[in-house]
Every structure is written in structure tokens, then in C-alpha cells.
Amino acid sequence: NFEIVTGYSSNQISNMNPIDFIAQKDQESARKMIATVFKEGSASFEAELSSISGKNIPYLLTGYKFTQSGLKYLMGVGLDISDRVAIEKDKENLIVKLREALSQVKLLSGFLPICASCKKIRDDKGYWNQIESYIKERSEVEFSHSICPECAKKLYPEIYDLDD
């Protein structure tokens, strides 16, 4: 399976150091992990494996120490975590987009002192503003004006009486 994953032949693999299969940026961590395995018995870390084609593949690598005939050995097991890494990257991108969207949201909350007659709103400085102006300055709302049927009948009874 290692031949399939890396693209190296069994002859090439047998003549290579395990560090040779680790992406350059992860080699120092791999060396530390190997030292930890020989010291503590096991260790795991994430690194990218380099294939013969130069493609780097994210892996979770776990090493175990064992002794046989007085010689210390390291056995390694690797798990391809490409799918998990891609999902995490998508999740991070989504979080960035959500934060950007949230930063653009303007929210009106709390009590709004409003005139019972003219419907003007008193702002924090004590000035009375048209409701449209107050809301437009504090949100992304755009207003379009029209007249509801009840008000139209009150304001223009001569036109509404013709329709009945």
C-alpha cells in the first residue's frame, strides 16, 4: 500500500530513510516524533507525506517502539486524513464568511421612544427624527413609500368613493 500511496517502488523504499517520505516542512517534527517514540514508547502527529510525483498528502502518523532480540525498532502506521483536512478547511472558510456577514449586520434593539401622534423617534441625543431616517441610519433598510387602503380612504375619500 505504501508503494501505491507514494508512487515509489519497493526497491526505492527499501533504500530510503523514513524522513525522506515526509514533506520538507514537517521533517523536523517527524524527527522529534521518532525521538519521542524511542523515549516514551509511542507518539502520533500529523504531517504530509511526499509522493514521488511531488504531491503532498496529509497523514496522521503513529509510531510504536518495540524490542526484539535486544534491538529497538520503530513501527509506523499512517492514516490518510485528506478528507478531514479538506472539511476543516471548508469549515474555516465558512466561519470567515459568516464572521464577515455578521460584521455587516446592523441590529436595532432596545426601547425606541416614539411619538404616539407623529411617530417620530427620539435618538440618544434627545432629537426627534422621522422614523425612516432613524432606521435607515442604523440599518441596511431602504424605504419605499405608498399609502395603505385605510389611509387612502381617509385622505382621498373622493377617489375611494368612486371605486365602491
Side-chain angles (χ1 to χ4, degrees), residues 147 149 151-164:
I147 299 174
C151 291
K153 285 181 187 178
K154 288 179 194 173
L155 295 170
Y156 307 105
E158 66 281 358
I159 296 173
Y160 263 86
D161 286 341
L162 296 175
D163 290 341
D164 288 338

PDB file of all heavy atoms in Angstrom, residues 147 149 151-164:
ATOM      1  N   ILE A 147     -49.313  54.319   0.170  1.00  0.00           N
ATOM      2  CA  ILE A 147     -50.401  54.593   1.101  1.00  0.00           C
ATOM      3  C   ILE A 147     -51.249  53.343   1.222  1.00  0.00           C
ATOM      4  O   ILE A 147     -51.684  52.764   0.212  1.00  0.00           O
ATOM      5  CB  ILE A 147     -51.253  55.791   0.616  1.00  0.00           C
ATOM      6  CG1 ILE A 147     -50.376  57.050   0.543  1.00  0.00           C
ATOM      7  CG2 ILE A 147     -52.457  56.013   1.528  1.00  0.00           C
ATOM      8  CD1 ILE A 147     -51.064  58.255  -0.043  1.00  0.00           C
ATOM      9  N   PRO A 149     -54.635  51.115   2.086  1.00  0.00           N
ATOM     10  CA  PRO A 149     -56.040  51.380   1.711  1.00  0.00           C
ATOM     11  C   PRO A 149     -56.816  52.193   2.758  1.00  0.00           C
ATOM     12  O   PRO A 149     -57.599  53.082   2.392  1.00  0.00           O
ATOM     13  CB  PRO A 149     -56.633  49.984   1.558  1.00  0.00           C
ATOM     14  CG  PRO A 149     -55.461  49.117   1.226  1.00  0.00           C
ATOM     15  CD  PRO A 149     -54.305  49.706   1.972  1.00  0.00           C
ATOM     16  N   CYS A 151     -55.677  54.465   4.941  1.00  0.00           N
ATOM     17  CA  CYS A 151     -55.253  55.870   4.877  1.00  0.00           C
ATOM     18  C   CYS A 151     -55.710  56.518   3.569  1.00  0.00           C
ATOM     19  O   CYS A 151     -56.076  57.705   3.548  1.00  0.00           O
ATOM     20  CB  CYS A 151     -53.750  55.994   5.037  1.00  0.00           C
ATOM     21  SG  CYS A 151     -53.201  55.588   6.712  1.00  0.00           S
ATOM     22  N   ALA A 152     -55.668  55.781   2.487  1.00  0.00           N
ATOM     23  CA  ALA A 152     -56.110  56.320   1.202  1.00  0.00           C
ATOM     24  C   ALA A 152     -57.577  56.727   1.270  1.00  0.00           C
ATOM     25  O   ALA A 152     -57.964  57.790   0.750  1.00  0.00           O
ATOM     26  CB  ALA A 152     -55.891  55.298   0.097  1.00  0.00           C
ATOM     27  N   LYS A 153     -58.413  55.948   1.933  1.00  0.00           N
ATOM     28  CA  LYS A 153     -59.831  56.295   2.078  1.00  0.00           C
ATOM     29  C   LYS A 153     -60.010  57.557   2.909  1.00  0.00           C
ATOM     30  O   LYS A 153     -60.853  58.397   2.617  1.00  0.00           O
ATOM     31  CB  LYS A 153     -60.592  55.129   2.718  1.00  0.00           C
ATOM     32  CG  LYS A 153     -60.840  53.989   1.777  1.00  0.00           C
ATOM     33  CD  LYS A 153     -61.613  52.860   2.458  1.00  0.00           C
ATOM     34  CE  LYS A 153     -61.700  51.665   1.526  1.00  0.00           C
ATOM     35  NZ  LYS A 153     -62.390  50.535   2.169  1.00  0.00           N
ATOM     36  N   LYS A 154     -59.169  57.707   3.970  1.00  0.00           N
ATOM     37  CA  LYS A 154     -59.265  58.898   4.812  1.00  0.00           C
ATOM     38  C   LYS A 154     -58.755  60.136   4.077  1.00  0.00           C
ATOM     39  O   LYS A 154     -59.348  61.212   4.147  1.00  0.00           O
ATOM     40  CB  LYS A 154     -58.452  58.714   6.099  1.00  0.00           C
ATOM     41  CG  LYS A 154     -59.051  57.755   7.075  1.00  0.00           C
ATOM     42  CD  LYS A 154     -58.141  57.651   8.290  1.00  0.00           C
ATOM     43  CE  LYS A 154     -58.505  56.448   9.139  1.00  0.00           C
ATOM     44  NZ  LYS A 154     -57.536  56.239  10.223  1.00  0.00           N
ATOM     45  N   LEU A 155     -57.625  59.983   3.380  1.00  0.00           N
ATOM     46  CA  LEU A 155     -57.003  61.130   2.721  1.00  0.00           C
ATOM     47  C   LEU A 155     -57.674  61.504   1.396  1.00  0.00           C
ATOM     48  O   LEU A 155     -57.704  62.678   1.014  1.00  0.00           O
ATOM     49  CB  LEU A 155     -55.517  60.851   2.474  1.00  0.00           C
ATOM     50  CG  LEU A 155     -54.646  60.706   3.711  1.00  0.00           C
ATOM     51  CD1 LEU A 155     -53.269  60.188   3.338  1.00  0.00           C
ATOM     52  CD2 LEU A 155     -54.513  62.059   4.423  1.00  0.00           C
ATOM     53  N   TYR A 156     -58.154  60.528   0.677  1.00  0.00           N
ATOM     54  CA  TYR A 156     -58.727  60.761  -0.658  1.00  0.00           C
ATOM     55  C   TYR A 156     -60.088  60.084  -0.765  1.00  0.00           C
ATOM     56  O   TYR A 156     -60.299  59.200  -1.605  1.00  0.00           O
ATOM     57  CB  TYR A 156     -57.778  60.216  -1.737  1.00  0.00           C
ATOM     58  CG  TYR A 156     -56.361  60.733  -1.610  1.00  0.00           C
ATOM     59  CD1 TYR A 156     -55.339  59.933  -1.114  1.00  0.00           C
ATOM     60  CD2 TYR A 156     -56.066  62.048  -1.990  1.00  0.00           C
ATOM     61  CE1 TYR A 156     -54.053  60.429  -0.984  1.00  0.00           C
ATOM     62  CE2 TYR A 156     -54.768  62.537  -1.862  1.00  0.00           C
ATOM     63  CZ  TYR A 156     -53.769  61.722  -1.364  1.00  0.00           C
ATOM     64  OH  TYR A 156     -52.504  62.207  -1.234  1.00  0.00           O
ATOM     65  N   PRO A 157     -61.057  60.510   0.052  1.00  0.00           N
ATOM     66  CA  PRO A 157     -62.364  59.848   0.034  1.00  0.00           C
ATOM     67  C   PRO A 157     -63.068  59.976  -1.314  1.00  0.00           C
ATOM     68  O   PRO A 157     -63.798  59.067  -1.717  1.00  0.00           O
ATOM     69  CB  PRO A 157     -63.152  60.553   1.147  1.00  0.00           C
ATOM     70  CG  PRO A 157     -62.450  61.843   1.374  1.00  0.00           C
ATOM     71  CD  PRO A 157     -61.020  61.610   0.994  1.00  0.00           C
ATOM     72  N   GLU A 158     -62.808  61.066  -2.017  1.00  0.00           N
ATOM     73  CA  GLU A 158     -63.484  61.262  -3.318  1.00  0.00           C
ATOM     74  C   GLU A 158     -63.054  60.208  -4.327  1.00  0.00           C
ATOM     75  O   GLU A 158     -63.836  59.779  -5.168  1.00  0.00           O
ATOM     76  CB  GLU A 158     -63.236  62.680  -3.852  1.00  0.00           C
ATOM     77  CG  GLU A 158     -61.806  63.028  -4.224  1.00  0.00           C
ATOM     78  CD  GLU A 158     -60.888  63.377  -3.036  1.00  0.00           C
ATOM     79  OE1 GLU A 158     -61.332  63.408  -1.884  1.00  0.00           O
ATOM     80  OE2 GLU A 158     -59.699  63.592  -3.287  1.00  0.00           O
ATOM     81  N   ILE A 159     -61.808  59.746  -4.275  1.00  0.00           N
ATOM     82  CA  ILE A 159     -61.331  58.723  -5.195  1.00  0.00           C
ATOM     83  C   ILE A 159     -61.832  57.344  -4.758  1.00  0.00           C
ATOM     84  O   ILE A 159     -62.291  56.558  -5.577  1.00  0.00           O
ATOM     85  CB  ILE A 159     -59.792  58.720  -5.277  1.00  0.00           C
ATOM     86  CG1 ILE A 159     -59.312  60.052  -5.862  1.00  0.00           C
ATOM     87  CG2 ILE A 159     -59.285  57.554  -6.117  1.00  0.00           C
ATOM     88  CD1 ILE A 159     -57.807  60.227  -5.841  1.00  0.00           C
ATOM     89  N   TYR A 160     -61.789  57.084  -3.481  1.00  0.00           N
ATOM     90  CA  TYR A 160     -62.209  55.772  -2.987  1.00  0.00           C
ATOM     91  C   TYR A 160     -63.718  55.598  -3.044  1.00  0.00           C
ATOM     92  O   TYR A 160     -64.193  54.488  -3.207  1.00  0.00           O
ATOM     93  CB  TYR A 160     -61.657  55.524  -1.562  1.00  0.00           C
ATOM     94  CG  TYR A 160     -60.399  54.705  -1.614  1.00  0.00           C
ATOM     95  CD1 TYR A 160     -59.164  55.305  -1.800  1.00  0.00           C
ATOM     96  CD2 TYR A 160     -60.459  53.317  -1.513  1.00  0.00           C
ATOM     97  CE1 TYR A 160     -58.008  54.565  -1.879  1.00  0.00           C
ATOM     98  CE2 TYR A 160     -59.309  52.572  -1.585  1.00  0.00           C
ATOM     99  CZ  TYR A 160     -58.072  53.197  -1.773  1.00  0.00           C
ATOM    100  OH  TYR A 160     -56.939  52.444  -1.858  1.00  0.00           O
ATOM    101  N   ASP A 161     -64.464  56.671  -2.940  1.00  0.00           N
ATOM    102  CA  ASP A 161     -65.928  56.553  -3.060  1.00  0.00           C
ATOM    103  C   ASP A 161     -66.319  56.172  -4.477  1.00  0.00           C
ATOM    104  O   ASP A 161     -67.308  55.478  -4.690  1.00  0.00           O
ATOM    105  CB  ASP A 161     -66.594  57.886  -2.674  1.00  0.00           C
ATOM    106  CG  ASP A 161     -66.559  58.125  -1.177  1.00  0.00           C
ATOM    107  OD1 ASP A 161     -66.360  57.140  -0.432  1.00  0.00           O
ATOM    108  OD2 ASP A 161     -66.730  59.292  -0.758  1.00  0.00           O
ATOM    109  N   LEU A 162     -65.494  56.549  -5.476  1.00  0.00           N
ATOM    110  CA  LEU A 162     -65.792  56.199  -6.864  1.00  0.00           C
ATOM    111  C   LEU A 162     -65.606  54.711  -7.132  1.00  0.00           C
ATOM    112  O   LEU A 162     -66.271  54.133  -7.973  1.00  0.00           O
ATOM    113  CB  LEU A 162     -64.887  56.986  -7.815  1.00  0.00           C
ATOM    114  CG  LEU A 162     -65.054  58.512  -7.829  1.00  0.00           C
ATOM    115  CD1 LEU A 162     -64.003  59.145  -8.736  1.00  0.00           C
ATOM    116  CD2 LEU A 162     -66.459  58.877  -8.305  1.00  0.00           C
ATOM    117  N   ASP A 163     -64.663  54.091  -6.414  1.00  0.00           N
ATOM    118  CA  ASP A 163     -64.379  52.663  -6.628  1.00  0.00           C
ATOM    119  C   ASP A 163     -65.437  51.761  -6.020  1.00  0.00           C
ATOM    120  O   ASP A 163     -65.582  50.630  -6.420  1.00  0.00           O
ATOM    121  CB  ASP A 163     -63.019  52.299  -6.033  1.00  0.00           C
ATOM    122  CG  ASP A 163     -61.875  52.903  -6.825  1.00  0.00           C
ATOM    123  OD1 ASP A 163     -62.115  53.279  -7.986  1.00  0.00           O
ATOM    124  OD2 ASP A 163     -60.745  52.991  -6.292  1.00  0.00           O
ATOM    125  N   ASP A 164     -66.194  52.220  -5.031  1.00  0.00           N
ATOM    126  CA  ASP A 164     -67.172  51.360  -4.349  1.00  0.00           C
ATOM    127  C   ASP A 164     -68.377  51.114  -5.142  1.00  0.00           C
ATOM    128  O   ASP A 164     -69.005  51.432  -5.894  1.00  0.00           O
ATOM    129  CB  ASP A 164     -67.569  51.973  -2.991  1.00  0.00           C
ATOM    130  CG  ASP A 164     -66.406  51.835  -1.999  1.00  0.00           C
ATOM    131  OD1 ASP A 164     -65.559  50.975  -2.196  1.00  0.00           O
ATOM    132  OD2 ASP A 164     -66.375  52.639  -1.048  1.00  0.00           O
TER     133      ASP A 164
END
